[in-house]
Amino acid sequence: MTTPADRTGRYCIFLHSGSYDRVYQALSITNVVLATGGEVHIFFSYGALKRLVRGNTDSVVIEGEPVFFREDIEKNLGRGTLDTISEMIDTAKRFGRLKIYACTGSMAVLNIARSELIDAVDSSMGLVGFLELVKGADHALYI
C-alpha cells in the first residue's frame, strides 16, 4: 500500500531569490510536503541567504513586482492573515524533516559569517555537497 510519504518523497530546493514572495512560496511548498509525510532540504544562496542573517528574515523585500504587491503583503502581515517567514520556518522545523543549508560560496561572496545566521540553519555546505543530496531526491526545485 502506498502511503502519503511514499508519494511525497524527498524535495531538494535551491533557493536563490531573497524576494519575500519567492521565499514564502518555497516555505509554503515545504510545509505542504512536510505535512504529507515528505522531507525537505533547502539550500539558501545569494539573495535567499541574506534572509537567514539575524534581523533580515522577515523584511518585506520584493523583487520585480509593483509597489502595491509589497503593500498588500505588508497589510496582510499586519492583519495576521499571512505568516511571517520566521513563522513559516518555525512551523516547518516542528515537523522534524526539514534541513536548512547555507551556501558556503555565497557566504564568502557576501561576507556572511556562520555566527550571523539564525539558529534554524542546520549547517553550511557547498554546492557540490548539496548536489550529492539532490542525487537521492525525488524532486528538485529552483526558486
Side-chain angles (χ1 to χ4, degrees):
M1 173 181 230
T2 303
T3 67
D6 294 332
R7 290 190 304 272
T8 305
R10 176 192 284 183
Y11 278 69
C12 285
I13 300 175
F14 292 88
L15 189 51
H16 177 82
S17 175
S19 187
Y20 196 94
D21 55 321
R22 293 178 186 135
V23 175
Y24 192 91
Q25 185 65 37
L27 291 168
S28 293
I29 292 167
T30 295
N31 280 318
V32 169
V33 169
L34 296 171
T36 56
E39 70 178 79
V40 179
H41 300 264
I42 306 177
F43 186 73
F44 282 73
S45 66
Y46 294 101
L49 178 63
K50 291 179 183 180
R51 288 260 172 218
L52 298 180
V53 174
R54 294 179 201 282
N56 292 343
T57 306
D58 296 324
S59 61
V60 181
V61 176
I62 307 290
E63 299 168 1
E65 298 290 341
V67 173
F68 73 82
F69 186 65
R70 180 184 52 78
E71 292 169 348
D72 286 345
I73 288 176
E74 289 173 336
K75 186 181 346 173
N76 286 316
L77 285 167
R79 289 180 186 156
T81 57
L82 190 65
D83 288 339
T84 64
I85 290 174
S86 293
E87 291 168 333
M88 296 286 284
I89 291 171
D90 290 344
T91 298
K93 282 297 197 171
R94 283 196 297 272
F95 284 104
R97 295 181 310 282
L98 168 65
K99 296 292 183 192
I100 294 177
Y101 307 96
C103 173
T104 53
S106 297
M107 289 171 68
V109 169
L110 299 171
N111 198 29
I112 297 172
R114 178 67 172 91
S115 61
E116 295 177 74
L117 302 177
I118 61 174
D119 294 337
V121 177
D122 293 291
S123 66
S124 51
M125 71 167 49
L127 186 56
V128 172
F130 193 71
L131 287 172
E132 285 299 314
L133 283 174
V134 172
K135 286 181 183 177
D138 298 297
H139 310 280
L141 304 174
Y142 180 84
I143 302 172

